[in-house]
């Protein structure tokens, strides 16, 4: 088996040199091959993953060594293929990793040890998970609009300037965002599924709102949790739609939202969806992002793509 380590050199603040030195020691003793590829610009991780996936198929594993942006690109490069994705959370937010490793406080050394990269006994389980297809691109974690996109944008800028802050950069980003208007406007047409499995529609044109999160996994924005019960392979997406809120309401709502207590926030409607359309009211780009990466679409058509990606999990 070939393990392609796709490394984002500027992601996070971990000592990657020491980590990779220890991992290389394992590969000197086993038959598997370690290949390190460093990214230099946006899109590199996708291109690298796609290249090796086409060349080796199921005989290689793409190992994401960065944050959520690196995971997003790799997922787009290997979706629908026989190549598996493994995640070493070496970024700042690592929000998708929080879901698959079951903790908001990830210790990357423990993850590496659990996969056997330090003891010459590499082990893991491969399971297929769902993705979100949006305008032909893939989202592995969360697609969001409104307030949270503004927080994501400012949080990334703070984290880039002060890497030591880690996910706290996103908490700091909340304050300047709250000083602006918290009411936004979009058009939505959502294909929903109720608790009994029956289909229904939510169509609002226009919709006034503060935030909308469409979730394959649970966490985003450095640890906020709009979908605590999200399941990666159930063929459903979770959504959280927050009706317009005022500045004075925000301090009481934010801690609950971070903890995943959306059922305790009366301003939030939530449930399951399988697809839909979201579009701008004025033709300008939407205030939205996928996996923490902003996009400039004015019209997004999305759907669940069942079991479209093979993912490596720590062996139970």
């Amino acid at each position: 088996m070939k393990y392609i380590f796709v490394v984002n050199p500027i992601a996070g603040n971990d000592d990657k040199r020491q980590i990779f030195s220890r991992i290389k020691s394992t590969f000197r003793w086993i038959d598997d091959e370690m290949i390190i590829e460093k990214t230099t610009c946006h899109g590199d991780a996708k291109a690298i993953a796609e290249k090796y996936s086409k060349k080796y198929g199921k005989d290689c594993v793409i190992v994401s060594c960065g944050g959520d942006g690196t995971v997003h690109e790799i997922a787009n490069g290997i979706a629908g293929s026989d190549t598996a994705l493994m995640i070493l959370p070496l970024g700042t937010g690592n929000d998708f990793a929080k879901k698959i490793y079951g903790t908001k406080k990830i210790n990357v050394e423990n993850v590496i040890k659990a996969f056997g990269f330090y003891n010459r006994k590499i082990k893991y389980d491969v399971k297929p998970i769902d993705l979100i297809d949006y305008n032909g691109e893939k989202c592995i974690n969360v697609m969001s609009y409104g307030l949270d996109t503004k927080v994501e944008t400012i949080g990334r800028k703070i984290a880039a300037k002060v890497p030591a802050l880690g996910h706290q950069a996103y908490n700091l980003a909340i304050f300047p965002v709250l000083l602006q208007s918290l009411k936004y406007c979009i058009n939505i047409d959502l294909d929903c599924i109720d608790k009994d499995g029956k289909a229904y529609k939510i169509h609002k044109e226009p919709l006034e709102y503060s935030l909308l999160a469409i979730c394959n996994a649970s966490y985003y924005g450095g640890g906020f949790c709009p979908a605590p019960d999200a399941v990666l392979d159930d063929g459903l997406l979770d959504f959280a739609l927050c009706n317009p809120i005022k500045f004075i309401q925000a301090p009481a709502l934010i801690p609950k939202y971070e903890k995943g207590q959306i059922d305790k926030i009366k301003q939030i409607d939530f449930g399951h969806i399988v697809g839909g359309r979201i579009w701008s009211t004025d033709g300008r780009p939407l205030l939205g992002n996928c996996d923490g990466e902003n996009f400039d679409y004015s019209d997004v058509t999305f759907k669940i793509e069942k079991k479209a990606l093979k993912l490596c999990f720590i062996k139970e």
Side-chain angles (χ1 to χ4, degrees):
M1 182 68 72
K2 298 182 185 296
Y3 292 86
I4 318 302
F5 289 74
V6 181
V7 184
N8 181 349
I10 63 172
N13 58 357
D14 294 285
D15 188 350
K16 296 184 183 68
R17 181 177 297 179
Q18 183 178 359
I19 288 172
F20 289 120
S21 177
R22 293 185 65 184
I23 294 175
K24 286 177 183 177
S25 295
T26 283
F27 279 92
R28 293 190 186 102
W29 292 91
I30 61 178
D31 293 331
D32 296 319
E33 183 179 358
M34 178 185 190
I35 299 172
I36 298 177
E37 292 274 9
K38 294 183 179 180
T39 62
T40 59
C41 62
H42 180 75
D44 271 3
K46 177 183 177 182
I48 292 167
E50 190 172 20
K51 178 183 74 174
Y52 282 100
S53 176
K54 287 181 178 179
K55 187 173 182 179
Y56 297 114
K58 62 181 177 56
D59 295 322
C60 77
V61 172
I62 308 297
V63 185
S64 175
C65 305
D68 292 303
T70 306
V71 173
H72 171 83
E73 287 196 24
I74 293 173
N76 273 271
I78 64 174
S81 75
D82 291 325
T83 302
L85 164 65
M86 180 183 287
I87 298 173
L88 300 188
L90 291 167
T92 300
N94 300 312
D95 286 309
F96 184 69
K98 291 180 175 70
K99 177 66 174 180
I100 61 174
Y101 299 132
T103 178
K104 292 179 73 173
K105 296 181 179 179
I106 299 174
N107 184 312
V108 68
E109 290 285 340
N110 288 342
V111 172
I112 294 170
K113 289 176 183 176
F115 281 128
F117 284 125
Y118 286 165
N119 65 5
R120 310 175 193 173
K121 297 179 181 178
I122 300 174
K123 58 181 181 179
Y124 50 89
D125 289 321
V126 177
K127 302 175 184 177
I129 66 166
D130 302 332
L131 294 175
I132 305 171
D133 179 284
Y134 65 105
N135 289 4
E137 296 186 55
K138 312 301 177 188
C139 173
I140 194 171
N141 190 30
V142 175
M143 177 168 63
S144 63
Y145 299 85
L147 172 64
D148 38 12
T149 295
K150 283 196 171 183
V151 172
E152 284 267 10
T153 303
I154 296 174
R156 283 199 307 277
K157 291 179 180 178
I158 295 174
K161 292 181 179 179
V162 191
L165 286 172
H167 73 273
Q168 292 299 328
Y170 296 93
N171 293 333
L172 292 174
I174 293 171
F175 297 102
V177 173
L178 292 182
L179 297 177
Q180 306 170 31
S181 172
L182 303 181
K183 183 170 72 173
Y184 311 102
C185 195
I186 53 173
N187 300 317
I188 65 170
D189 188 10
L190 306 180
D191 299 318
C192 306
I193 304 293
D194 68 17
K195 60 182 180 180
D196 297 319
K198 295 181 180 179
Y200 69 98
K201 283 266 193 182
I202 296 178
H203 181 93
K204 293 190 178 181
E205 189 177 345
L207 167 74
E208 291 186 341
Y209 75 112
S210 282
L211 67 84
L212 170 61
I214 296 168
C215 312
N216 188 40
S218 294
Y219 302 100
Y220 73 146
F224 287 86
C225 186
D229 300 320
V231 179
L232 292 171
D233 61 355
D234 63 351
L236 296 170
L237 303 173
D238 290 39
F239 76 88
L241 172 60
C242 183
N243 296 303
I245 60 172
K246 298 178 181 179
F247 172 81
I248 196 171
Q249 297 173 301
L253 302 183
I254 290 172
K256 295 178 182 177
Y257 192 69
E258 182 175 14
K259 294 176 181 177
Q261 298 173 340
I262 59 171
D263 58 331
K264 296 181 180 180
I265 304 175
K266 65 180 181 180
Q267 292 89 348
I268 290 185
D269 299 319
F270 58 93
H272 291 123
I273 54 179
V274 293
R277 180 187 172 210
I278 299 168
W279 68 103
S280 170
T281 59
D282 58 9
R284 289 188 295 181
L286 293 161
L287 180 61
N289 77 89
C290 276
D291 298 338
E293 300 291 324
N294 288 10
F295 51 67
D296 57 4
Y297 295 121
S298 60
D299 194 325
V300 172
T301 299
F302 70 95
K303 63 181 179 179
I304 185 77
E305 197 162 289
K306 298 180 181 180
K307 299 184 177 180
L309 178 76
K310 292 179 170 59
L311 185 65
C312 297
F313 290 85
I314 293 172
K315 205 170 187 65
E316 297 179 359

